[in-house]
Amino acid sequence: MEAVTGTFGLLPHWAKDESLAKRTYNARSETAAEKPSFRDAWKRAQHCIIPAAAIYEPDWRSGKAVPTRIERTDGVDLGIAGLWDWNAALNMHSMTMLTVNADEHELMRNYHKPGDEKRMVVILPRGLYSDWLDAPAGSSMEFMRQFPADRLVATAELRTSKSTG
């Protein structure tokens, strides 16, 4: 296992510049093997783990997007299942986070706009890190599971407005 820095948003070997990255932050696990941006990394099992203290999602239940921090209840950093690629022309590594449907997830079904499909990143249990990194492409979908809702906590970010005087 090694730590490598890279650009957030997958830039496949054929990308000519970094503009694609803003559209490839997330990869739907159900279609990653087919989509041009992700299929080579998926087929080569270029698995990675993206560390994060938390993720942020918009909570629309009030009718307005409220930024909400989501983290593990035990305070341990998230290990998000991802794919990586190397782009020789741009001389950089890049990565994307894999997602699964969360329409029925007790916590994550509350986020994103009403009527939109609910999605969540794949958070790996620590005990599966090595297994994920070493898994062959044919086994990748076995890791695409929802993280238990009772092991996550969501906290709305309070916005304060500064008054000028």
Side-chain angles (χ1 to χ4, degrees):
M1 199 175 341
E2 71 177 297
V4 177
T5 60
T7 295
F8 187 52
L10 196 77
L11 295 169
H13 64 88
W14 46 262
K16 302 205 182 324
D17 59 48
E18 295 181 47
S19 64
L20 179 65
K22 62 184 154 220
R23 296 188 310 273
T24 57
Y25 294 152
N26 296 332
R28 297 170 68 91
S29 60
E30 301 88 346
T31 60
E34 306 156 13
K35 296 292 183 182
S37 295
F38 309 117
R39 68 179 169 214
D40 290 341
W42 183 273
K43 288 177 185 174
R44 291 192 299 259
Q46 292 177 185
H47 299 154
C48 66
I49 299 170
I50 301 164
I55 58 170
Y56 286 82
E57 296 291 352
D59 183 341
W60 284 88
R61 291 177 289 178
S62 69
K64 294 182 181 181
V66 176
T68 304
R69 178 184 173 96
I70 299 165
E71 58 194 319
R72 289 178 52 146
T73 56
D74 61 9
V76 172
D77 283 350
L78 306 174
I80 301 169
L83 297 173
W84 68 271
D85 209 343
W86 170 255
N87 185 304
L90 299 174
N91 193 33
M92 67 174 58
H93 284 97
S94 62
M95 69 205 90
T96 187
M97 299 184 295
L98 289 159
T99 66
V100 293
N101 179 281
D103 286 340
E104 302 301 320
H105 191 270
E106 191 175 319
L107 177 68
M108 298 305 294
R109 68 180 177 209
N110 296 315
Y111 302 96
H112 301 287
K113 288 185 179 178
D116 286 357
E117 178 189 14
K118 309 308 179 194
R119 305 286 303 171
M120 69 182 292
V121 294
V122 175
I123 301 167
L124 296 166
R126 284 192 161 237
L128 293 181
Y129 284 12
S130 292
D131 294 342
W132 168 246
L133 294 173
D134 296 334
S139 298
S140 296
M141 284 304 290
E142 295 173 23
F143 295 85
M144 301 298 107
R145 299 186 193 123
Q146 297 175 348
F147 197 74
D150 64 350
R151 294 177 55 200
L152 295 171
V153 62
T155 309
E157 292 290 303
L158 299 176
R159 293 184 181 188
T160 58
S161 58
K162 295 180 182 177
S163 59
T164 56

